[in-house]
Structures are given as structure tokens and as C-alpha cells.
């Protein structure tokens, strides 16, 4: 039975979807299209502001047609349903939705994060989606706690876990990397 007062906040990148695999695919695409210094360019783009495909393409290529071509091809990667989901992420969210009000809280460029979230097919499990530019997510977590009282955070980031704990929020840290169906089941046992 869902307790409407308890909000479970879940992260997207490296928690529900394999962001490293998506990044690898973006790099392979760039190399195939003739880009050089891909990893260094990625780091520079990400250091300046929130990462998005358009900025990455403009940093990789000078020719407007090459930029457009990369953007079109990179967006196609996000059209493949569930291509980057961790095994068990749908089961994980479906089971959590039975007990909690689910909120997706993600850090990054809004249009890019929403595209990844839509591609995942996980939207049906979440009551709310919040994309923030704040890396620690502390302001949003504080607001959610004030609005709902009881909040639980499930995230893979040490920084987010520390922010949540500082606010007195219960946390469950997910391990980064490959997540299997069995891994999600073990985490669920702690939450259900």
C-alpha cells in the first residue's frame, strides 16, 4: 500500500541507467564521424557547464553540417527504448511505486536529462521529475522534505548522500557500475 506521505527520491544516471555505456556510444559515434581528442573535449565541455549533446558537437566539430550530423545521430541513440537501462531498473521502480511516492531527481542539462529519462521508459513510475543544475541537490531535497515530511533518498553519489544525511534524510547508497536484477532485489529488501 502506498504511503502518500513518504517520498522516495531516486537518481537517474548510474542508478537506473548506464550512463557510462551512453557516453561510450557518444564517443564511438564522434570517432566514426572523424572527431579528434574526444575524451579531452568531453571533459572541457562538462567542466564549463552542464553537459548536452549540442555543446559537445560544437566543441568537436567546426563545420556546421558535421555538427548537425553528429547531433542527429547522437539523438538517435536516445530513441532506442530502454537501451541504457540497468537490468532490473523497471522491476525496481515498479516495486517501489507500490509503497512510495516516487520522485526522480537528476542533475544535468534539463533537455538532455529528460531525453534520457524518456528513453528509459521509467516515467510511468514517477509522480514528479525534477532536473537541477545544483550538483549536491541539497536545495531540492530540502524543499521536498519541507513539503512532504518524510523523504528517503536512493542515489549512487557520495556528495548527494552526504547532502541528504545533513538534512536528516534517510539514505540508501547504490553502488556505481553494473547493476543486475539481483542487485536491485537486494536493495529493494532494505526499502520494502
Amino acid at each position: 500500500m502506498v504511503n502518500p506521505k513518504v517520498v522516495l527520491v531516486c537518481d537517474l544516471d548510474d542508478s537506473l541507467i548506464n550512463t557510462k555505456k551512453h557516453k561510450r556510444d557518444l564517443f564511438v559515434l564522434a570517432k566514426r564521424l572523424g572527431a579528434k581528442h574526444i575524451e579531452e573535449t568531453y571533459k572541457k565541455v562538462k567542466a564549463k557547464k552542464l553537459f548536452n549533446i549540442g555543446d559537445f558537437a560544437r566543441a568537436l566539430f567546426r563545420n556546421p553540417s558535421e555538427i548537425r550530423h553528429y547531433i542527429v545521430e547522437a539523438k538517435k541513440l536516445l530513441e532506442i527504448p530502454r537501451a541504457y537501462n540497468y537490468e532490473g531498473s523497471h522491476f525496481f521502480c515498479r516495486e517501489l511505486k507500490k509503497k512510495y511516492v516516487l520522485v526522480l531527481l537528476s542533475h544535468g542539462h534539463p533537455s538532455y536529462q529528460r531525453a534520457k529519462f524518456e528513453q528509459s521508459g521509467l516515467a510511468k513510475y514517477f509522480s514528479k521529475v525534477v532536473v537541477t543544475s545544483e550538483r549536491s541537490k541539497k536545495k531540492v531535497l530540502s524543499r521536498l522534505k519541507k513539503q512532504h515530511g518524510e523523504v528517503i533518498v536512493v542515489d549512487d553519489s557520495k556528495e548527494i548522500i552526504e547532502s541528504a544525511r545533513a538534512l536528516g534524510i534517510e539514505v540508501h547508497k547504490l553502488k556505481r557500475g553494473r547493476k543486475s536484477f539481483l542487485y536491485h532485489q537486494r536493495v529493494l529488501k532494505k526499502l520494502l
Side-chain angles (χ1 to χ4, degrees), residues 112-124:
Y112 185 52
Q113 292 304 101
R114 288 189 191 281
K116 289 189 290 184
F117 183 58
E118 288 171 16
Q119 175 273 337
S120 74
L122 297 169
K124 61 187 171 192

Side-chain angles (χ1 to χ4, degrees), residues 4 14 22 36 44 70 92 99 112 118 120 136 143 163 169 178 186:
D14 296 314
H22 178 60
K36 306 281 187 228
K44 285 178 188 175
Y70 182 81
F92 185 71
K99 185 172 179 181
Y112 185 52
E118 288 171 16
S120 74
S136 74
R143 189 171 63 241
S163 292
I169 295 173
R178 193 164 181 208
R186 283 195 303 274

Side-chain angles (χ1 to χ4, degrees), residues 40-73:
E40 299 84 28
T41 303
Y42 174 83
K43 288 176 184 174
K44 285 178 188 175
V45 168
K46 198 167 180 186
K48 286 183 183 177
K49 55 184 173 179
L50 299 173
F51 179 83
N52 71 67
I53 291 171
D55 290 339
F56 187 47
R58 285 183 284 282
L60 286 170
F61 303 101
R62 298 290 168 241
N63 183 315
S65 66
E66 289 176 326
I67 294 168
R68 280 191 302 276
H69 184 60
Y70 182 81
I71 291 170
V72 167
E73 293 300 313

Side-chain angles (χ1 to χ4, degrees), residues 100 170 172-173 185-192:
Y100 304 104
E170 179 183 338
H172 293 269
K173 188 173 188 322
Q185 277 188 315
R186 283 195 303 274
V187 174
L188 275 173
K189 284 181 183 177
K190 295 176 186 176
L191 291 163
L192 298 178

Side-chain angles (χ1 to χ4, degrees), residues 3 5 31 36 60 65 78 97 114 132 149 155 172 184 190:
N3 183 342
K5 294 184 179 178
K31 187 175 182 177
K36 306 281 187 228
L60 286 170
S65 66
L78 292 174
K97 186 175 171 60
R114 288 189 191 281
T132 180
D155 205 300
H172 293 269
H184 280 102
K190 295 176 186 176

